[in-house]
Amino acid sequence: MLDSLTKKNYYFTDFTEDVYTTILKKTLSKYSFILFDQISYTENNQCLWRHDVDFSLSRALSLAKIEADLSIKSTYFILISGSFYNPLEKKMTDIIKSILDMGHDIGVHLDCDYYNITSYTELEEKLLLEQKIFKSYFQHQPRAFSFHNPNAHSLSFNKDIICDMVNTYSSTIKKCFKYCSDSNGIWRHDRLIDFVESVVGNIQVLTHPGWWQNEVLSPQQRVYRCVSGRANDVMVSYSEALKEIRREDIG
């Protein structure tokens, strides 16, 4: 199954940590990596490298380490309302703080559908709410936000700055930065290595850490690995909690 799908140019072999490192090195040779509050609309060859963390903070930490080893700083957008991980769990909060300690930034990954946002007023209200969560749990003031699963409605909120945060989908960024994404764990448009090698000007690259693994897998297999890894961690925590209070772990 995997071989047949790879032949359809889904390039599953691209989505490994080794290839990720190669792509970063290629990008570093052409572009200057910047954070979203460092954007200059008069400069060229700037790279906004961002991660929407949809599936796994553990995978995010792995990519953050690779980037830090190359002295690259990127932005990790944390989803408060997702079902794949809980950023307010102690272990996950510690991962987020580790990513910050490496010099990376974190931002708000906002799900408009979760809040049923219909207006700028409602958008600002929920952004301010999540800002408070970031400051309270991560001791960090987010400087940018991205929309989770963006659609025509959420993308209509295209002001450059909202609640003192850069909008990654703003009309100005779209105009001035060419864009490439690994959405769905395949290259739906440009293959990232080709994009980096061919594009002239400023770029914004979006990755989702759950897609990048240690071995070649299909997108569904990558999601399953994130889910099963999370489940295993929960069971280990359960067993350790029982051991700590000297109670029997009955199977």
Side-chain angles (χ1 to χ4, degrees):
M1 180 66 171
L2 183 59
D3 288 341
S4 65
L5 289 175
T6 303
K7 291 176 182 177
K8 292 182 179 179
N9 292 334
Y10 287 156
Y11 297 107
F12 292 169
T13 53
D14 282 3
F15 292 89
T16 66
E17 289 187 357
D18 287 342
V19 174
Y20 186 77
T21 303
T22 298
I23 294 173
L24 283 177
K25 289 178 179 178
K26 173 63 69 173
T27 308
L28 195 58
S29 71
K30 289 186 61 178
Y31 299 95
S32 297
F33 284 76
I34 60 170
L35 301 177
F36 280 87
D37 63 340
Q38 299 172 326
I39 293 173
S40 170
Y41 292 111
T42 62
E43 298 291 330
N44 252 327
N45 300 323
Q46 300 171 105
C47 174
L48 292 167
W49 197 281
R50 96 175 205 245
H51 310 269
D52 285 355
V53 186
D54 290 353
F55 306 122
S56 172
L57 276 166
S58 297
R59 286 282 85 217
L61 181 62
S62 294
L63 298 193
K65 289 176 179 176
I66 293 172
E67 293 162 358
D69 286 343
L70 295 171
S71 298
I72 288 171
K73 294 180 181 180
S74 65
T75 305
Y76 289 78
F77 289 89
I78 309 301
L79 184 62
I80 298 295
S81 58
S83 57
F84 287 89
Y85 64 90
N86 175 12
L88 307 186
E89 176 190 334
K90 181 64 166 60
K91 181 178 178 180
M92 299 297 106
T93 299
D94 287 344
I95 287 177
I96 292 168
K97 291 179 179 178
S98 293
I99 290 172
L100 285 168
D101 288 343
M102 292 179 204
H104 302 298
D105 199 12
I106 61 170
V108 171
H109 195 31
L110 191 79
D111 187 345
C112 286
D113 289 339
Y114 175 82
Y115 290 115
N116 194 29
I117 292 171
T118 61
S119 67
Y120 265 108
T121 299
E122 292 176 352
L123 173 61
E124 291 170 0
E125 176 186 324
K126 300 310 179 185
L127 283 173
L128 289 171
L129 171 64
E130 296 209 357
Q131 273 186 348
K132 290 179 181 179
I133 294 173
F134 272 59
K135 286 187 281 188
S136 177
Y137 284 86
F138 316 135
Q139 292 77 56
H140 184 78
Q141 171 67 51
R143 294 172 283 189
F145 74 92
S146 69
F147 291 118
H148 178 58
N149 291 336
N151 52 35
H153 174 63
S154 58
L155 293 177
S156 69
F157 300 115
N158 59 5
K159 292 180 181 178
D160 291 350
I161 306 290
I162 307 175
C163 296
D164 295 323
M165 293 188 292
V166 177
N167 177 4
T168 64
Y169 290 102
S170 76
S171 55
T172 306
I173 288 180
K174 284 183 179 180
K175 178 181 177 182
C176 298
F177 285 78
K178 296 174 183 177
Y179 177 81
C180 185
S181 171
D182 66 357
S183 295
N184 303 119
I186 58 174
W187 306 120
R188 293 190 301 147
H189 303 293
D190 296 313
R191 190 182 180 199
L192 182 51
I193 188 65
D194 297 335
F195 175 83
V196 167
E197 290 178 339
S198 63
V199 169
V200 176
N202 297 319
I203 62 172
Q204 178 180 186
V205 173
L206 167 60
T207 80
H208 300 75
W211 297 137
W212 301 84
Q213 303 278 346
N214 293 317
E215 59 184 288
V216 179
L217 300 167
S218 71
Q220 188 178 84
Q221 289 171 324
R222 285 174 248 162
V223 174
Y224 180 79
R225 176 166 287 190
C226 292
V227 172
S228 60
R230 167 71 172 154
N232 289 336
D233 283 347
V234 171
M235 290 306 300
V236 168
S237 296
Y238 171 75
S239 296
E240 289 177 348
L242 288 178
K243 186 183 297 184
E244 186 173 337
I245 60 177
R246 298 180 180 179
R247 292 185 182 177
E248 187 177 0
D249 189 357
I250 303 171

